[in-house]
């Protein structure tokens, strides 16, 4: 994509790719976005890499940025990852020892980073992603929940760490950047959340504390009203900007 060329101008006009049910309107043509710019098994792909070193406790020690070339040794679908993590020996002869060991280390480290985030007050609502099903004419024919497990969390933690590293670097260089923020919850809506929670026999001692909201989300996990509480909490939050 040449700077100032037709592809560059159109991509800038679109701003992002747009995801619709059953369709994607890409920012760049699919041959680029889903081909040359997409990691594919056995193919060389040129990338920008964030190289990060962490302590055994998950503390960030060093960060470096580099132009790099990546060759994917083994591509996994999300649903293939957790069976491997839970029983790596079952994949002897099918997946190399080096790849099995790396995936297991990735899982262990991602869960360490995730634990640190929640200790710092990160809040995660347990709301399933719903995927719309379309028939051949593009008419809605149904919907189903998308499976979400620790394999998704692994990728999320590494992407988040890289995003924070890039944002921090650009901030320190005083470079203007666009980022999305979640403002604090709407204080006018929080008392109604507390009333709703109490009507279910639950207690929310301090509805302005992220740690208390964290405890609330954890306390309803697996219970019949789990989604109702999570949705009500979501409604009390301000939209991302």
């Amino acid at each position: 994509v040449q700077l100032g060329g037709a592809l560059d101008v159109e991509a800038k006009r679109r701003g992002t790719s747009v995801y619709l049910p059953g369709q994607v309107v890409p920012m760049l043509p699919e041959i680029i976005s889903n081909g040359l710019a997409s990691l594919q098994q056995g193919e060389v792909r040129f990338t920008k890499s964030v190289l990060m070193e962490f302590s055994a406790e998950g503390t960030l020690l060093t960060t470096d940025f580099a132009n790099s070339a990546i060759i994917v040794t083994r591509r996994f679908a999300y649903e293939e990852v957790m069976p491997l993590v839970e029983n790596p020996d079952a994949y002897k002869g099918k997946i190399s020892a080096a790849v099995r060991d790396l995936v297991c280390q990735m899982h262990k480290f991602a869960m360490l980073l995730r634990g640190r985030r929640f200790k710092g007050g990160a809040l995660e609502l347990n709301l399933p992603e719903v995927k719309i099903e379309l028939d051949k004419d593009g008419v809605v024919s149904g919907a189903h929940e998308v499976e979400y497990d620790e394999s998704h969390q692994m990728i999320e933690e590494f992407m988040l760490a890289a995003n924070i590293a890039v944002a921090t670097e650009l901030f320190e260089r005083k470079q203007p950047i666009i980022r999305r923020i979640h403002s604090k919850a709407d204080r006018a809506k929080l008392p109604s959340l507390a009333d709703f929670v109490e009507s279910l026999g639950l207690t929310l001692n301090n509805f302005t504390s992220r740690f208390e909201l964290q405890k609330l989300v954890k306390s309803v996990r697996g219970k019949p009203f789990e989604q109702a509480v999570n949705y009500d909490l979501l409604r009390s939050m301000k939209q991302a900007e």
Side-chain angles (χ1 to χ4, degrees):
V1 178
Q2 297 298 316
L3 186 64
L7 283 176
D8 184 39
V9 171
E10 178 62 16
K12 185 176 181 180
R13 189 182 71 82
R14 295 185 180 200
T16 64
S17 296
V18 178
Y19 293 83
L20 304 166
Q23 182 186 5
V24 178
V25 182
M27 181 179 71
L28 291 166
E30 190 173 359
I31 194 171
I32 297 176
S33 58
N34 207 28
L36 293 171
S38 180
L39 293 177
Q40 296 180 356
Q41 185 169 311
E43 300 290 339
V44 178
R45 290 292 181 259
F46 297 110
T47 64
K48 293 281 187 185
S49 288
V50 184
L51 308 174
M52 309 172 75
E53 183 182 3
F54 289 84
S55 71
E57 295 74 36
T59 303
L60 179 62
L61 300 176
T62 63
T63 304
D64 197 13
F65 304 90
N67 293 327
S68 61
I70 291 178
I71 302 179
V72 173
T73 303
R74 177 67 155 77
R75 180 184 181 277
F76 288 93
Y78 280 114
E79 56 269 18
E80 295 178 291
V81 174
M82 291 316 296
L84 170 61
V85 169
E86 289 160 0
N87 188 10
D89 290 341
Y91 291 84
K92 284 182 178 178
K94 301 175 187 174
I95 297 173
S96 71
V99 171
R100 294 200 313 270
D101 184 51
L102 180 59
V103 172
C104 290
Q105 286 186 54
M106 287 172 65
H107 174 259
K108 183 178 179 182
F109 183 58
M111 293 305 105
L112 174 66
L113 292 180
R114 186 173 172 80
R116 286 177 62 92
R117 278 203 306 115
F118 284 107
K119 280 183 182 175
L123 185 64
E124 181 179 63
L125 302 182
N126 191 19
L127 295 169
E129 180 186 346
V130 177
K131 189 164 188 176
I132 302 295
E133 297 161 4
L134 306 175
D135 64 18
K136 59 183 175 55
D137 298 317
V139 178
V140 175
S141 59
H144 66 274
E145 288 187 9
V146 178
E147 185 71 24
Y148 176 83
D149 61 18
E150 290 181 4
S151 64
H152 297 78
Q153 294 169 11
M154 288 166 64
I155 299 302
E156 284 176 3
E157 291 303 325
F158 297 140
M159 286 177 66
L160 184 58
N163 286 343
I164 291 172
V166 170
T168 301
E169 179 74 12
L170 292 175
F171 177 77
E172 289 177 351
R173 293 188 186 192
K174 295 182 170 53
Q175 293 293 318
I177 58 173
I178 296 175
R179 55 185 169 190
R180 187 178 69 169
I181 62 163
H182 285 271
S183 300
K184 291 182 179 179
D186 190 334
R187 294 182 70 88
K189 293 182 179 178
L190 285 171
S192 65
L193 169 66
D195 291 340
F196 174 62
V197 165
E198 286 174 11
S199 74
L200 296 172
L202 303 168
T203 303
L204 185 56
N205 295 321
N206 180 2
F207 50 72
T208 62
S209 166
R210 294 182 74 85
F211 294 101
E212 285 294 317
L213 294 174
Q214 234 183 27
K215 282 182 4 186
L216 172 65
V217 170
K218 194 172 182 180
S219 70
V220 300
R221 195 161 292 156
K223 294 183 178 176
F225 43 74
E226 177 183 11
Q227 282 197 30
V229 171
N230 276 270
Y231 272 117
D232 209 58
L233 179 52
L234 178 64
R235 288 174 59 212
S236 73
M237 298 289 179
K238 290 185 178 177
Q239 286 189 317
E241 297 175 297

